[in-house]
Amino acid sequence: MIDLHLHSRASDGTLSSAELVSLAAARGVRLMSLTDHDCLDGTAEAAAACDAAGIRFLPGVEVSVSWDRKTLHIVGVDIDPQHAGLQAGLTRLQAVRDARALEIGRRLEKHGISGAHAGALALAGEARLTRTHFARFLHQTGHVKDEAQAYRRFLGRGKPGHVSAEWAGLEECIGWIHAAGGQAVLAHPLRYGFTRAWLVKALTAFKQAGGDAMEVVSGRSSPDDVAVSAHLAKRFELLGSVGSDFHAPSPYLQPGVQTPLPDGVQPVWERFRDRN
Ligand code: AMP
Ligand code: MN
Ligand code: MN
Ligand code: MN
């Protein structure tokens, strides 16, 4: 079993990378990548844990990209985590995250919710701040009934605590990933809430910018989602990837993707460099 999209406590997952690897190993994962948001902090620990567990590990990252005033997530997999250009780019995105988080806190404050920035920071601990930490704060302080409601009421587009950010450019991000030796994968293409026309526009831009692959099997994709994604991968001549986008243990989603890539979609892992 393969999983090329996983989160740890270095960004908005709830498990340490060692705990994540144990869980993935127990589930039968044989090849995995850790893909935290704009962050490589969990890489060394995950690599060591995979070594010990006998799992093949590929360093990865999920990069936030601004494209046509929308946010896309591009997973870079099989990257060199020491690459200076990639590291500099991610450092810049973390500064954008920190400034955005302060502004989210201010907006929520004006909206009558006090202490959100400090609360999110405390929940994050050593992790890089994400909206997930604000969602957890809003949930734990009783402002919302669950984290999904935090996005619907406060943190989603057009809501009082939403702050748009200038993330990496699409070509810029793919440039970092390629310079670091990796493959650029468009994450969860069906989860942006785009119409079919916008999705085609995004895939066209991604392919033109040098993108290599797209997730064909993602988190909770239905058989229909997989069929639609496989069709798009073939149409845009993109390789196929599989990833759970696992953040936290739940009855609905575990590390490890069971659904195989459909026939006719070339697996992105055939491109991975042989590290042995
Ligand atoms: P950020 O990159 O800081 O804007 O945070 C994005 C993260 O928030 C995503 O990777 C998800 O983990 C989480 N997220 C965004 N929207 C939702 C949602 N509607 N429900 C649950 N989690 C969400
Ligand atoms: Mn996330
Ligand atoms: Mn994502
Ligand atoms: Mn993700």
Side-chain angles (χ1 to χ4, degrees):
M1 212 184 334
I2 294 175
D3 197 333
L4 301 178
H5 188 153
L6 293 157
H7 293 277
S8 78
R9 205 148 65 208
S11 67
D12 59 349
T14 61
L15 304 181
S16 70
S17 28
E19 289 164 345
L20 176 67
V21 170
S22 299
L23 183 58
R27 299 264 310 159
V29 172
R30 308 301 309 151
L31 168 65
M32 64 170 270
S33 185
L34 178 67
T35 56
D36 278 314
H37 296 286
D38 308 312
C39 147
L40 296 164
D41 299 351
T43 309
E45 184 180 314
C50 279
D51 228 29
I55 295 182
R56 188 167 172 215
F57 176 72
L58 294 159
V61 63
E62 181 173 15
V63 183
S64 310
V65 163
S66 294
W67 170 77
D68 216 337
R69 293 160 71 206
K70 297 164 178 47
T71 299
L72 298 177
H73 285 173
I74 310 294
V75 164
V77 66
D78 194 22
I79 48 160
D80 169 10
Q82 306 299 338
H83 189 271
L86 174 64
Q87 287 186 349
L90 298 180
T91 299
R92 187 183 101 210
L93 297 185
Q94 289 302 337
V96 171
R97 283 193 169 276
D98 291 344
R100 181 189 66 155
L102 277 169
E103 185 58 25
I104 292 173
R106 280 187 213 109
R107 301 242 182 128
L108 290 174
E109 203 84 48
K110 273 193 205 154
H111 206 72
I113 296 173
S114 60
H117 184 261
L121 262 182
L123 287 173
E126 297 193 348
R128 305 314 187 115
L129 264 184
T130 68
R131 276 188 298 164
T132 307
H133 300 106
F134 282 93
R136 285 186 195 140
F137 169 83
L138 290 167
H139 180 217
Q140 289 182 16
T141 50
H143 291 285
V144 290
K145 68 171 166 51
D146 55 30
E147 288 176 26
Q149 194 178 55
Y151 297 91
R152 289 197 299 273
R153 289 216 180 143
F154 298 107
L155 303 172
R157 236 177 131 84
K159 303 302 170 190
H162 185 266
V163 177
S164 51
E166 198 56 49
W167 302 116
L170 182 58
E171 291 188 2
E172 180 183 39
C173 157
I174 294 172
W176 296 341
I177 292 167
H178 285 171
Q183 305 290 320
V185 184
L186 181 66
H188 44 64
L190 303 185
R191 286 223 312 273
Y192 297 108
F194 292 170
T195 60
R196 184 55 57 88
W198 270 103
L199 183 55
V200 163
K201 223 177 143 183
L203 282 162
T204 305
F206 177 70
K207 178 75 185 177
Q208 269 173 8
D212 303 291
M214 61 180 263
E215 287 178 355
V216 169
V217 188
S218 153
R220 299 175 212 178
S221 356
S222 68
D224 271 2
D225 293 342
V226 174
V228 166
S229 303
H231 172 80
L232 289 167
K234 290 181 217 174
R235 172 170 165 195
F236 286 92
E237 296 181 350
L238 291 166
L239 305 171
S241 187
V242 302
S244 63
D245 203 3
F246 173 85
H247 285 74
S250 92
Y252 312 106
L253 185 74
Q254 293 292 334
V257 176
Q258 308 269 6
T259 314
L261 266 187
D263 283 346
V265 178
Q266 194 191 342
V268 68
W269 49 92
E270 289 182 358
R271 285 257 194 102
F272 294 160
R273 295 167 291 169
D274 192 353
R275 289 155 185 281
N276 300 314

